[in-house]
Amino acid sequence: MNPRILAPLAMMAALAALPACSDTAETDAPVDAAADPVAGLAIKTAKARDIANLPLGTVPGIVILPPEARVAVTAPFPGAAVRVYVIEGQAVRRGQPLALVRSAEPVQIRGNLARAQSEVGLTEARVKRLSQLADEGIIAQARADEARAALAQARASLAEQRRLASLGGVGPDGMMTLSAPISGRVAHVGTETGGPVDGMEAPFVIEAEGSYQVELQLPERLAKEVRPSMPVEIMLASEGGDPVLVGGQILAVSPSIDPATRSVLARASIGAAPGIVAGRNVSVTIKGNGGARGIAVPANAVTKIGGVDHVFVRKGKTYEARKVTVAATTSEQAVIVDGLKAGEIVAASSIAELKAMSAE
């Protein structure tokens, strides 16, 4: 056959074969996707496990200082601040000077002290003389008794003036040194150099470090179950990456519900740890004292769908969303009390992709 005729025939045969190949590829692809719809997802799984001593729940809290951790530094007499040695946030040790204050009243007290000392000396001499005369029968014994009573009054006045003079480290020139009563940090400075210092207001407030409490907001369902001495736990993130577990216990539970938040306030003590500072918001897990049991899964396995907690449970080659009831959550695990059984496999990664697939 003529080669010029064979070449066009071969090209036509090749073009006719292309649609057939394309139809085969389009048919095979849906079959593979239907066989394993999550084949392209690198899903990590975890087995739900049974745990004892089920926590009562996880509630929000804020780290605060206990009442005894804040100490006010007051001036015994009003005056003017000659020098201020510290600023807010500065660490101080016990006995460290905070300010130097000048006052006119201590000078008057020094004068009263000198007069009281002189009065005591004079009264003692008078008592000695009158007692001797009364013993000799020259005067009545009542006059000696009156002198002794006057001596007791003079000594009481002297003791009072001495106590006033010893307040605040007052010097003879009326200078007072205000010092830190405890070691800690300066939380408040209410005066400045040259400013007034009122004896009724505290110019300094010192906060002790190392002792903290947590103020909890308990929902109504938990308020009647939480009792003092119940253990609590707080999981804190650290710079090294490993979370830090801080323990404590319930100190007190309020007997009434806050009408604004519809919650019950409670107070728990916690120990000092890196990252614990007053004012920090934390999640507190109340361990409880009972022996209830629950199902533990990784915390990232639980997700919200329609505002309700769900987990994705493996069924064959797919995962189905299942509604669960979460009792408590920490940074590592969530405790489920309803909707999941021990031994079931749940997805612990690619949760967003599974949510998108379940919504289709």
Side-chain angles (χ1 to χ4, degrees):
M1 186 177 291
N2 193 337
R4 293 181 179 181
I5 299 175
L6 290 176
L9 290 176
M11 184 175 296
M12 293 175 62
L15 291 173
L18 286 177
C21 296
S22 176
D23 292 343
T24 303
E26 291 178 357
T27 303
D28 293 344
V31 173
D32 294 340
D36 190 1
V38 295
L41 300 179
I43 300 178
K44 296 180 180 180
T45 61
K47 181 183 290 187
R49 56 187 179 87
D50 184 34
I51 61 171
N53 296 325
L54 181 66
L56 291 180
T58 300
V59 297
I62 182 171
V63 179
I64 60 175
L65 289 169
E68 68 274 10
R70 295 172 63 90
V71 180
V73 182
T74 59
F77 310 107
V82 178
R83 288 186 180 181
V84 177
Y85 300 112
V86 296
I87 60 175
E88 288 190 8
Q90 180 177 339
V92 294
R93 64 185 183 277
R94 181 176 182 179
Q96 179 175 336
L98 303 177
L100 188 63
V101 179
R102 184 189 297 276
S103 175
E105 190 170 343
V107 178
Q108 299 174 357
I109 292 175
R110 289 284 177 176
N112 293 336
L113 176 61
R115 285 189 288 271
Q117 289 174 337
S118 176
E119 182 68 21
V120 168
L122 178 62
T123 308
E124 286 178 346
R126 184 167 180 267
V127 168
K128 183 178 180 181
R129 183 177 67 257
L130 292 180
S131 297
Q132 183 178 0
L133 293 176
D135 293 340
E136 295 176 356
I138 300 175
I139 62 174
Q141 186 66 36
R143 293 185 60 186
D145 294 338
E146 291 175 357
R148 294 189 186 94
L151 176 60
Q153 292 179 359
R155 287 175 175 172
S157 298
L158 177 59
E160 179 184 0
Q161 297 302 322
R162 283 176 174 172
R163 286 193 297 269
L164 290 174
S166 64
L167 290 177
V170 181
D173 57 350
M175 301 296 287
M176 301 180 294
T177 301
L178 303 184
S179 303
I182 60 172
S183 297
R185 291 190 177 274
V186 181
H188 170 71
V189 177
T191 188
E192 58 184 9
T193 302
V197 175
D198 189 353
M200 300 302 295
E201 296 182 2
F204 300 96
V205 176
I206 310 298
E207 292 182 350
E209 295 181 326
S211 179
Y212 298 95
Q213 293 181 356
V214 178
E215 191 174 78
L216 312 177
Q217 290 185 350
L218 304 177
E220 293 184 50
R221 63 180 181 84
L222 286 181
K224 59 183 179 181
E225 300 181 25
V226 178
R227 298 288 183 272
S229 76
M230 280 186 173
V232 298
E233 289 182 352
I234 299 175
M235 193 71 69
L236 299 173
S238 62
E239 297 181 356
D242 296 331
V244 177
L245 183 65
V246 183
Q249 66 177 10
I250 298 293
L251 295 176
V253 181
S254 175
S256 60
I257 297 176
D258 186 351
T261 62
R262 303 305 303 171
S263 62
V264 176
L265 295 180
R267 189 73 65 91
S269 65
I270 57 172
I276 290 288
V277 292
R280 177 173 179 175
N281 293 318
V282 293
S283 294
V284 184
T285 300
I286 304 174
K287 303 294 289 183
N289 294 327
R293 307 184 71 87
I295 304 299
V297 297
N300 55 2
V302 180
T303 186
K304 294 281 187 181
I305 300 178
V308 181
D309 291 323
H310 284 71
V311 295
F312 286 93
V313 184
R314 189 167 69 183
K315 292 294 183 181
K317 293 185 177 181
T318 62
Y319 290 84
E320 69 173 14
R322 185 184 299 177
K323 183 174 66 174
V324 294
T325 301
V326 178
T329 304
T330 66
S331 60
E332 295 183 346
Q333 71 175 13
V335 180
I336 296 172
V337 294
D338 188 31
L340 192 65
K341 297 180 180 180
E344 291 188 293
I345 305 300
V346 299
S349 66
S350 303
I351 303 300
E353 291 80 356
L354 291 174
K355 288 176 65 174
M357 292 175 61
S358 65
E360 294 178 354

